[in-house]
Amino acid sequence: MRTQVAIVGGGPAGLLLSHLLHRRGIASVVLEGRDRAYVERRQRAGMLEQGTTDVLRESGAGERLDREGLVHHGLELRFGGAGHRIPLTDLTGRTVTVYAQTEIVKDLVALRLADGGDVRFEAEVLEIDASAPSVTYRQDGRTHTLECDYVAGCDGFHGVSRPTVPGLRTFSREYPFAWLGILADVPPSTHELIYANHERGFALHSLRSPKVSRLYLQVPPDEDLGAWPDTRIWDELAARLATGDGWELRQGPVTDRSITPMRSFVAEPMRHDRLFLAGDAAHIVPPTGAKGLNLAVADVTVLARALTERYASGSETLLDGYSATCLRRAWRAEHFSYWMTTLLHVDPAADPFALRLQRSHLDYVASSEAAATTLAENYVGLPFD
């Protein structure tokens, strides 16, 4: 078997890359270790930057996004019992959109299959050869080898692509807290996201749809999910999100819950010979800045453009610059995500001096247009170009 680009991983990065290449006449095969049902129901965040929505729309993958996505023009920082709105659009001219990663994956799977795309589920990748490019995988009890011109490693933090790259430099940071996240069948109590700093820890009120809420609590990284019955979750959310103006948190049935560790991670370079890393295979950000999915989209947009140039003209200039181009954006997102995380979370080891510095910083962001603009332009996303 042979194709032009073998794509390891059938999440949003791999599927979008395959879709973008198809629209440019470049053949690809997507190899995904999980079954289709698992991939389409895997819960992930879904705050899309302006650039991400632009890419999806321009590629023809934005029909349901435009119909069901919730466009936001601001967000709220909440601390000291009061809310402080950051007017994202007024400060930047750009917006963000709430549309779950789960739905993006469903849209892209449907598009690829409708176009006759080759997406192979339950295909366990065993080995990647980056020099004489090929991918060996097991499917239906049989081992196959897929030869190709290039390999795109879009298989996430725990995938097989990154360990294939020799001599990687890695940079990482573990945070002394995690997020307990829930989905609840209740209309959101807010029209824009609320990022709350409270002496008992961070809380986030997000939303999934007009009828479904997504909420998070800061918890210790080794927290037992079983120690959090619904009543305790709602009580803690209400306490951390409380204001002095009578705002009330709506409560409803919890349909999903999980604990997510917080880490920052970058691997350099993002290319080895004919293998290119993209998305979580190359970098992880704490979710506070809402950058993970958007970085993955930026990576594969750059890679699709570079491969298009290669097949159209024979030039590898853009391919040669792929790693440096993507890492510039990744490190900016890493810094912003770290900044948002340390601005809003309570470090259990922080002394009173550090806590007062944090509060001073929050006051500054809420009162200074310059500081608010820095937050806003990073949150809505820097231009892809």
Side-chain angles (χ1 to χ4, degrees):
M1 293 179 291
R2 180 169 183 82
T3 190
Q4 289 174 293
V5 182
I7 300 173
V8 182
L15 291 167
L16 179 58
L17 177 60
S18 179
H19 177 61
L20 294 174
L21 294 177
H22 167 73
R23 289 175 62 86
R24 293 161 171 80
I26 300 170
S28 68
V29 173
V30 178
L31 302 173
E32 167 56 47
R34 303 282 192 166
D35 62 35
R36 178 178 176 179
Y38 177 90
V39 170
E40 291 188 337
R41 69 171 179 263
R42 184 166 43 193
Q43 294 294 332
R44 294 290 188 272
M47 178 59 74
L48 309 185
E49 296 177 358
Q50 178 85 58
T52 296
T53 58
D54 289 346
V55 167
L56 292 171
R57 291 187 184 107
E58 290 165 5
S59 73
E63 179 182 350
R64 198 157 66 94
L65 163 66
D66 285 334
R67 189 170 66 248
E68 301 178 13
L70 305 176
V71 177
H72 285 205
H73 300 279
L75 61 82
E76 181 181 322
L77 297 181
R78 187 172 288 188
F79 58 93
H84 308 268
R85 185 173 185 268
I86 306 297
L88 301 174
T89 304
D90 289 348
L91 294 171
T92 68
R94 296 161 73 83
T95 63
V96 292
T97 302
V98 174
Y99 188 67
Q101 177 174 315
T102 311
E103 305 309 313
I104 293 174
V105 168
K106 291 177 184 176
D107 294 343
L108 290 170
V109 169
L111 278 173
R112 292 305 299 120
L113 296 181
D115 289 337
D118 196 340
V119 182
R120 304 180 187 184
F121 295 102
E122 298 181 83
E124 178 191 5
V125 173
L126 305 174
E127 184 179 2
I128 298 172
D129 187 335
S131 299
S134 66
V135 179
T136 302
Y137 67 98
R138 182 183 295 116
Q139 187 180 42
D140 297 328
R142 299 178 60 190
T143 299
H144 310 269
T145 297
L146 175 64
E147 297 180 347
C148 53
D149 299 329
Y150 300 97
V151 180
C154 305
D155 50 347
F157 184 75
H158 299 289
V160 301
S161 296
R162 191 176 64 254
T164 301
V165 180
L168 271 178
R169 294 186 67 198
T170 60
F171 307 83
S172 63
R173 172 159 295 185
E174 301 289 333
Y175 295 87
F177 34 74
W179 276 12
L180 190 163
I182 65 167
L183 271 178
D185 283 339
V186 59
S189 307
T190 177
H191 297 295
E192 297 179 337
L193 272 68
I194 302 171
Y195 288 80
N197 170 268
H198 189 273
E199 61 184 9
R200 289 158 65 163
F202 168 78
L204 170 61
H205 191 328
S206 182
L207 51 162
R208 182 56 56 85
S209 75
K211 297 182 179 179
V212 178
S213 297
R214 183 72 161 160
L215 303 105
Y216 299 91
L217 287 168
Q218 174 187 340
V219 296
D222 58 352
E223 187 65 288
D224 177 13
L225 192 58
W228 287 86
D230 290 7
T231 301
R232 184 185 179 192
I233 291 173
W234 287 116
D235 287 349
E236 192 64 23
L237 283 166
R240 297 187 193 183
L241 291 166
T243 62
D245 60 3
W247 181 88
E248 292 186 5
L249 175 66
R250 295 171 179 166
Q251 301 184 16
V254 175
T255 60
D256 183 78
R257 72 190 70 209
S258 61
I259 292 181
T260 303
M262 305 280 280
R263 69 164 66 92
S264 298
F265 176 86
V266 180
E268 299 182 356
M270 290 172 58
R271 176 188 183 177
H272 169 59
D273 209 337
R274 299 297 184 93
L275 168 64
F276 297 83
L277 303 179
D280 287 359
H283 36 66
I284 296 286
V285 290
T288 325
K291 292 298 163 210
L293 172 61
N294 296 293
L295 276 179
V297 171
D299 287 349
V300 299
T301 301
V302 172
L303 184 53
R305 188 178 299 145
L307 288 167
T308 300
E309 180 191 65
R310 163 64 180 83
Y311 284 111
S313 70
S315 171
E316 295 196 0
T317 300
L318 293 182
L319 285 176
D320 291 340
Y322 169 78
S323 181
T325 299
C326 292
L327 284 170
R328 278 195 298 273
R329 187 181 190 88
W331 277 113
R332 176 85 297 277
E334 290 285 354
H335 180 263
F336 176 68
S337 300
Y338 164 82
W339 180 79
M340 285 281 284
T341 301
T342 54
L343 177 69
L344 292 162
H345 290 72
V346 177
D347 186 335
D351 59 22
F353 183 81
L355 294 175
R356 291 300 294 270
L357 287 178
Q358 182 186 49
R359 177 58 180 272
S360 174
H361 197 167
L362 283 164
D363 286 333
Y364 176 59
V365 173
S367 61
S368 164
E369 183 174 326
T373 301
T374 295
L375 188 158
E377 72 175 6
N378 282 273
Y379 194 85
V380 301
L382 302 175
F384 274 25
D385 293 329

